């Protein structure tokens, strides 16, 4: 079970959208979060002279959703300066460093490799990295320390608005607390449930092969997401339909329903429990309205 923790956020420029220094209770590391335009004026800070692992985030070329690039620097500053000049897509960045001497080149290469693999496994965001980085050999003690460092990073990132590494964690929810819902249409059946991460569609759920003309013309973001799911083998063709090969978390029940049915869909009415109650009716009842 996840343990509670606290974060301290220092807004260094006085602008909530500007430079933020984020520290976690009882941890040697910290995150530096900033928008791209600020780099020239903040790169003299001591954190940029330290060894760290970083994430660059920005819109996809089609404008629907974000993509991410993962890297490491020893120190961070030259890598950031290079990406400022040569990588166009990113609009914001976050990097993690620790106290003096706490991280070395092998440490951050290990963290980079782990983050790339986890982003590929989660399949939540398009990865800009062309190739995987080879994981360096660490001593048993260093590896254990870096796995703890990685775990703290991963727990902080969703709070910072970065969900690229989040795996669907069915074990975090007691079975008794799950209201399992069905989405049915075109001879297809899918099952899912609401979670803290979004709306989870369960493995072995079915999805339509065909898309309506209106969806192709007007819902480019959903169509692109669907293509990503196919390319990443979350959806695989089985006979006359696609099948989810893993539990997958969507941002909303409507997005999940649209992917499954191949058309525009209101998830609050498409998803129903075994008695036929819609998600909207269930939510209304739970709210006591």
């Amino acid at each position: 079970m996840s343990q509670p923790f606290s974060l301290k956020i220092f807004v260094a420029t006085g602008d909530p959208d500007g430079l933020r220094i984020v520290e976690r209770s009882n941890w040697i590391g910290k995150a530096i979060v900033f928008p791209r335009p600020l780099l020239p004026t903040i790169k003299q800070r001591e954190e940029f002279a330290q060894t760290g692992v970083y994430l660059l985030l920005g819109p996809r070329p089609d404008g629907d959703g974000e993509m991410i690039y993962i890297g490491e620097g020893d120190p961070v500053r030259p890598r950031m300066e290079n990406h400022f000049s040569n990588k166009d897509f990113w609009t914001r960045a976050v990097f993690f460093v620790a106290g003096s001497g706490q991280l070395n080149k092998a440490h951050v290469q290990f963290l980079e490799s782990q983050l790339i693999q986890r982003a590929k496994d989660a399949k939540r965001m398009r990865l800009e990295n062309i190739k995987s980085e080879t994981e360096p050999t660490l001593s048993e003690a260093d590896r254990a320390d870096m796995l703890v460092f990685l775990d703290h990073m991963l727990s902080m990132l969703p709070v910072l608005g970065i969900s690229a590494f989040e795996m669907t964690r069915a074990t975090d929810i007691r079975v008794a607390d799950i209201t399992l819902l069905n989405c049915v249409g075109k001879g297809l059946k899918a099952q899912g449930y609401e979670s803290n991460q979004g709306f989870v569609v369960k493995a072995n759920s079915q999805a339509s092969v065909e898309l309506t003309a209106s969806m192709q013309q007007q819902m480019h973001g959903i169509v692109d997401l669907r293509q990503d799911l196919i390319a990443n083998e979350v959806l695989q063709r089985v006979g006359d339909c696609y099948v989810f090969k893993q539990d997958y978390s969507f941002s909303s029940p409507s997005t999940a329903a649209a992917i499954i049915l191949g058309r525009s869909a209101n998830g609050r009415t498409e998803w129903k429990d075994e008695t036929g109650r819609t998600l909207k009716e269930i939510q209304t009842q739970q709210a006591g309205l």
Side-chain angles (χ1 to χ4, degrees), residues 206-243:
Q206 298 173 318
S208 174
V209 170
E210 302 297 329
L211 302 179
T212 62
S214 61
M215 184 174 186
Q216 296 181 61
Q217 295 167 5
Q218 302 171 17
M219 303 177 67
H220 301 295
I222 301 294
V223 173
D224 289 341
L225 172 59
R226 184 175 180 271
Q227 288 304 118
D228 284 348
L229 295 176
I230 294 169
N232 291 329
E233 298 185 342
V234 175
L235 286 175
Q236 293 185 23
R237 183 73 178 261
V238 178
D240 58 357
C241 68
Y242 285 111
V243 173

Side-chain angles (χ1 to χ4, degrees), residues 238-286:
V238 178
D240 58 357
C241 68
Y242 285 111
V243 173
F244 282 80
K245 291 301 181 179
Q246 65 182 65
D247 288 3
Y248 192 85
S249 178
F250 290 92
S251 60
S252 72
S254 293
T255 299
I259 292 289
I260 289 163
L261 299 172
R263 59 171 172 79
S264 175
N266 181 342
R268 297 188 69 205
T269 56
E270 296 286 357
W271 290 99
K272 302 175 183 179
D273 68 10
E274 60 183 9
T275 68
R277 288 187 307 163
T278 65
L279 176 58
K280 179 178 180 180
E281 292 170 333
I282 294 169
Q283 291 173 334
T284 299
Q285 183 177 353
Q286 290 173 338

Side-chain angles (χ1 to χ4, degrees), residues 110-164:
F110 175 83
L111 294 171
E112 175 193 38
S113 174
Q114 288 284 317
L115 288 172
I116 289 173
Q117 188 56 54
R118 287 170 188 253
K120 288 181 176 179
D121 291 342
K123 302 173 183 176
R124 299 286 297 273
M125 191 179 292
R126 182 176 293 181
L127 186 63
E128 172 72 359
N129 296 69
I130 297 174
K131 63 178 182 177
S132 298
E133 297 299 326
T134 303
E135 184 178 302
T137 301
L138 298 180
S139 69
E140 184 177 3
D142 276 359
R143 182 181 176 86
D145 287 344
M146 287 304 101
L147 286 174
V148 172
F149 196 96
L150 176 68
D151 184 62
H152 288 336
M153 287 172 52
L154 292 172
S155 66
M156 291 171 64
L157 286 169
V159 184
L160 302 178
I162 300 171
S163 60

